[in-house]
Amino acid sequence: MATLLSALETQVRRHIVETTASYWSSAEIVDIFNNGIKDLWRDIADLKQEHFLTNDPTNVTLAADTATITGVPADVHKVYLIEPLDTTSTSANKGLTFKPLDYNHPIFQAARSQGSVDASNEVIYYSVTGAGAPTGTSSTVIYVAPKVSSAVSLRFVYVPTLAAKTTSDNNPIPGESDNALIAWGVAFARAKERDDRSPDPAWLSIYATEKQHILQSLGLRQYHEPTF
């Protein structure tokens, strides 16, 4: 069952012997949790087991005679799939496929020089550029070539970054990660009372062990068929 960050804060406060906020504010501890969440999220996303995969069938389109995709979410970390929203045999976009390719690839260069093509039975190459989230609302720009002669509604499947959490939010990290966030929270909370302002090494070691176990447990999501 999901755990509220407020409940994790309570457990951290037991370890730092401050059940009522005084030296450490609730906001401080939640900020520490958010940094721990980001640290765990990075490595879990890198497992490529799609724990944070998001399917957006609503907001993303390719307008006619346009070299970039519009409506790309502001929180894009990795692009997983782009395809026409309607892929049925009777669709106006039947046979239209999107394939990733480097922007400076000779095939992409040749495709850019083409005129607009009919939005069916064609291959549209795309290149993901920009710094990506969370550096700004238009930090991910996706170029396409060739252009299409009519607008196409798209299904956009991607891995997003995580928004900052509050005490009323659940721990968003899978893999029974509560203990890892508690250890991270205690380690960095205690930095405030240490002369060198560094996190507590013993609790950081506990966090590292918990993180390793989380990554091991999340390493394979299905056992239906062997993975090669």
Side-chain angles (χ1 to χ4, degrees):
M1 186 174 182
T3 307
L4 290 172
L5 291 194
S6 58
L8 296 183
E9 179 187 349
T10 297
Q11 295 186 63
V12 166
R13 289 191 178 281
R14 290 177 186 147
H15 288 293
I16 59 179
V17 197
E18 186 184 78
T19 54
T20 302
S22 176
Y23 188 58
W24 292 274
S25 70
S26 179
E28 281 181 290
I29 293 177
V30 171
D31 284 345
I32 291 170
F33 280 151
N34 274 302
N35 288 334
I37 287 167
K38 290 175 184 177
D39 186 72
L40 290 167
W41 167 85
R42 266 195 308 258
D43 286 343
I44 292 172
D46 200 45
L47 291 174
K48 299 177 178 62
Q49 293 295 313
E50 326 319 339
H51 293 90
F52 302 102
L53 200 68
T54 299
N55 188 333
D56 183 348
T58 306
N59 300 302
V60 185
T61 59
L62 176 56
D65 305 311
T66 304
T68 57
I69 290 174
T70 58
V72 175
D75 59 350
V76 172
H77 173 59
K78 302 287 187 183
V79 176
Y80 187 84
L81 172 71
I82 301 174
E83 68 178 10
L85 185 59
D86 186 354
T87 57
T88 62
S89 60
T90 57
S91 167
N93 305 132
K94 180 181 69 173
L96 185 68
T97 58
F98 288 78
K99 291 187 177 181
L101 196 64
D102 288 341
Y103 188 80
N104 64 344
H105 193 286
I107 292 177
F108 206 119
Q109 292 177 332
R112 284 199 299 274
S113 68
Q114 290 182 238
S116 296
V117 299
D118 186 66
S120 63
N121 298 310
E122 290 283 352
V123 175
I124 306 298
Y125 299 102
Y126 70 89
S127 177
V128 183
T129 70
T135 59
T137 54
S138 8
S139 58
T140 301
V141 178
I142 302 178
Y143 290 95
V144 298
K147 300 174 184 177
V148 292
S149 58
S150 57
V152 183
S153 296
L154 299 176
R155 180 183 307 281
F156 189 79
V157 186
Y158 71 108
V159 175
T161 55
L162 295 183
K165 304 302 177 183
T166 69
T167 54
S168 60
D169 289 318
N170 289 322
N171 172 9
I173 301 299
E176 300 292 349
S177 62
D178 288 357
N179 284 340
L181 283 182
I182 290 167
W184 175 283
V186 176
F188 282 87
R190 284 192 163 167
K192 186 177 179 180
E193 60 184 0
R194 290 169 57 90
D195 291 338
D196 60 2
R197 294 296 189 265
S198 63
D200 185 283
W203 281 96
L204 271 187
S205 178
I206 294 171
Y207 169 76
T209 300
E210 288 290 332
K211 180 178 180 179
Q212 182 181 19
H213 291 162
I214 290 167
L215 295 176
Q216 288 173 343
S217 72
L218 296 177
L220 183 62
R221 300 204 72 178
Q222 63 83 26
Y223 295 90
H224 185 186
E225 294 183 355
T227 300
F228 297 98

